[in-house]
Amino acid sequence: MTTTPPRQAAPAARMWPLYAAGFTTAFGAHGIAANLGGHSDDAVTSLLVLGGLLALYDGAEVLLKPVFGTLADRIGARPVLLGGLVAFALASAAYVVADSPAWLWAARLGQGAAASAFSPSASALVARLNPAAGHGRAFGSYGFYKSIGYTLGPLLGGVLVWAGGLRLLFIVLAVLGVAVALWAAVAVPHLPPLPRQRQTVLDLARRLADPAFLRPTAALAAATAALSVGVGFLPVSGAVAGLGTVATGAAVSVLAACAAVVQPKAGRALDDGRLTLRTGLTAGLLTTAAGLACAMLPGPAGILLAAALIGVGTGLITPLGFAALAASTPTERLGQTMGSAELGRELGDAGGPLLVAGVAAAATLTYGYAALALLIAIGPALALAARRRATPGAVPEQRGEQEIF
């Protein structure tokens, strides 16, 4: 009797363009967003206009990521990846050529729509090109380079805008989109779409309501919410504590650096059996909540502890969450699942700051941090309590177990 050999991890040459795609969407989102308010007076005439420009990118992703994820399953993830990268480059180039406020709106909308195509496609390809036993490492590395994009976006974007204005930043993004598209066209293999059973709307609703999807997606949304709150509000706390912009910027950099460093380590620990999905996600959520609680402490020590713990917690959650989704999803539906999970992350990205800002407006920022910390901690805390009440002798957790918390 013959046996099928286990699928080997994808060669590095195939994975690097996918990591570059993750970097591109993160760098494009934060590089422009961090520099719109201070360097585009002709286009950003009020805080309302600034808010609209910032919302365009994320709004397009919320609406379109599930659509393009489903399309990737239907026609193949590689064409959607390449098309999204080319569209990102064209949207960036449109503002370079036109250089007008109206085209800035169109370019941001186009960039968001394009990222909605190549981001879930890249995640689906990361899963398909690697065996299940290597998903932790693969998603850890993918998250690492995406975190580098988030970190370098405001800094490198600011340097580019200082040197040549907003147009220079869009030129770099256009060139980056073309370069990554060409790289992916050469290095990423064509993976034909897999046969799929007919799926009704009710079937889709059942699958997305399954705890195997909801729990890791909720964890990813919580991590993104905390990350967004940390990046946006820790500088405010730093200013209240009398810290300068350099010190508060350094604190945000600590957050991003911790998230970037932890992700590959968490992925390797999962693949090596030293960490389980349940333990890792629970620890990540509780660590993230602890970081938000530390943000309530006055002074620089609280801010630094908050940045480090939020970074570590989100670094644990991100690769494990995506690995859990890949493990529980039929291969032929990976694009749809990744797109829907990305939607959850975008909702967390928007909902976290809104929750903290709303509570802060009614009380203080300290209570805003507390509200989000409590919301993030309540799920794993209840799960831990339920596990302690469980009868002894239960079946130990397995790698592919549906139960995450």
Side-chain angles (χ1 to χ4, degrees):
M1 183 178 65
T2 61
T3 58
T4 303
R7 184 156 51 98
Q8 300 297 314
R14 297 182 178 185
M15 298 303 298
W16 281 109
L18 303 179
Y19 300 154
F23 172 89
T24 299
T25 183
F27 180 76
H30 280 207
I32 295 176
N35 292 285
L36 278 174
H39 302 281
S40 53
D41 294 336
D42 58 334
V44 181
T45 55
S46 69
L47 289 176
L48 183 60
V49 172
L50 176 60
L53 282 168
L54 293 175
L56 269 179
Y57 195 99
D58 291 332
E61 289 189 308
V62 166
L63 293 174
L64 296 176
K65 275 186 173 179
V67 176
F68 282 115
T70 302
L71 181 64
D73 290 334
R74 183 168 298 173
I75 69 172
R78 184 175 180 272
V80 179
L81 172 77
L82 298 178
L85 288 166
V86 171
F88 185 86
L90 290 175
S92 303
Y95 177 73
V96 174
V97 174
D99 191 21
S100 70
W103 277 98
L104 178 59
W105 288 80
R108 283 302 280 171
L109 181 61
Q111 286 179 330
S116 303
F118 70 78
S119 182
S121 300
S123 298
L125 284 166
V126 168
R128 283 199 64 183
L129 287 172
N130 290 274
H135 280 167
R137 284 180 172 84
F139 281 112
S141 297
Y142 180 73
F144 171 82
Y145 288 103
K146 206 165 184 178
S147 295
I148 295 298
Y150 286 132
T151 305
L152 289 183
L155 177 62
L156 184 55
V159 171
L160 291 170
V161 171
W162 171 80
L166 205 58
R167 289 181 74 188
L168 179 58
L169 177 54
F170 273 89
I171 288 173
V172 170
L173 290 173
V175 172
L176 180 63
V178 171
V180 176
L182 291 174
W183 191 6
V186 171
V188 177
H190 173 67
L191 298 178
L194 298 174
R196 299 174 302 152
Q197 292 183 346
R198 184 176 178 275
Q199 177 182 254
T200 65
V201 174
L202 183 58
D203 292 332
L204 174 62
R206 285 172 178 164
R207 193 159 61 82
L208 297 185
D210 192 303
F213 173 82
L214 285 180
R215 287 169 175 155
T217 301
L220 289 168
T224 308
L227 188 64
S228 184
V229 165
V231 170
F233 288 95
L234 285 181
V236 177
S237 298
V240 171
L243 301 178
T245 55
V246 174
T248 55
V252 173
S253 296
V254 167
L255 189 160
C258 287
V261 169
V262 168
Q263 288 190 61
K265 295 181 181 296
R268 285 195 296 270
L270 177 67
D271 292 342
D272 294 341
R274 293 179 285 114
L275 185 66
T276 63
L277 291 172
R278 173 186 286 173
T279 301
L281 289 175
T282 299
L285 288 166
L286 293 177
T287 302
T288 302
L292 290 164
C294 287
M296 301 166 60
L297 302 175
I303 295 171
L304 187 60
L305 274 173
L309 289 175
I310 292 172
V312 170
T314 57
L316 270 171
I317 293 167
T318 304
L320 303 188
F322 279 114
L325 289 168
S328 64
T329 301
T331 306
E332 66 274 14
R333 300 288 183 187
L334 275 171
Q336 187 178 72
T337 294
M338 295 303 175
S340 300
E342 289 281 1
L343 168 60
R345 295 187 77 197
E346 295 299 334
L347 292 176
D349 194 19
L354 284 175
L355 172 64
V356 171
V359 174
T364 64
L365 183 55
T366 299
Y367 286 101
Y369 290 135
L372 184 57
L374 181 62
L375 185 63
I376 291 175
I378 192 168
L382 289 175
L384 284 173
R387 237 184 295 165
R388 286 179 179 177
R389 292 196 302 268
T391 57
V395 178
E397 179 192 5
Q398 300 298 320
R399 168 68 182 269
E401 186 179 341
Q402 296 281 332
E403 191 71 22
I404 303 299
F405 303 138

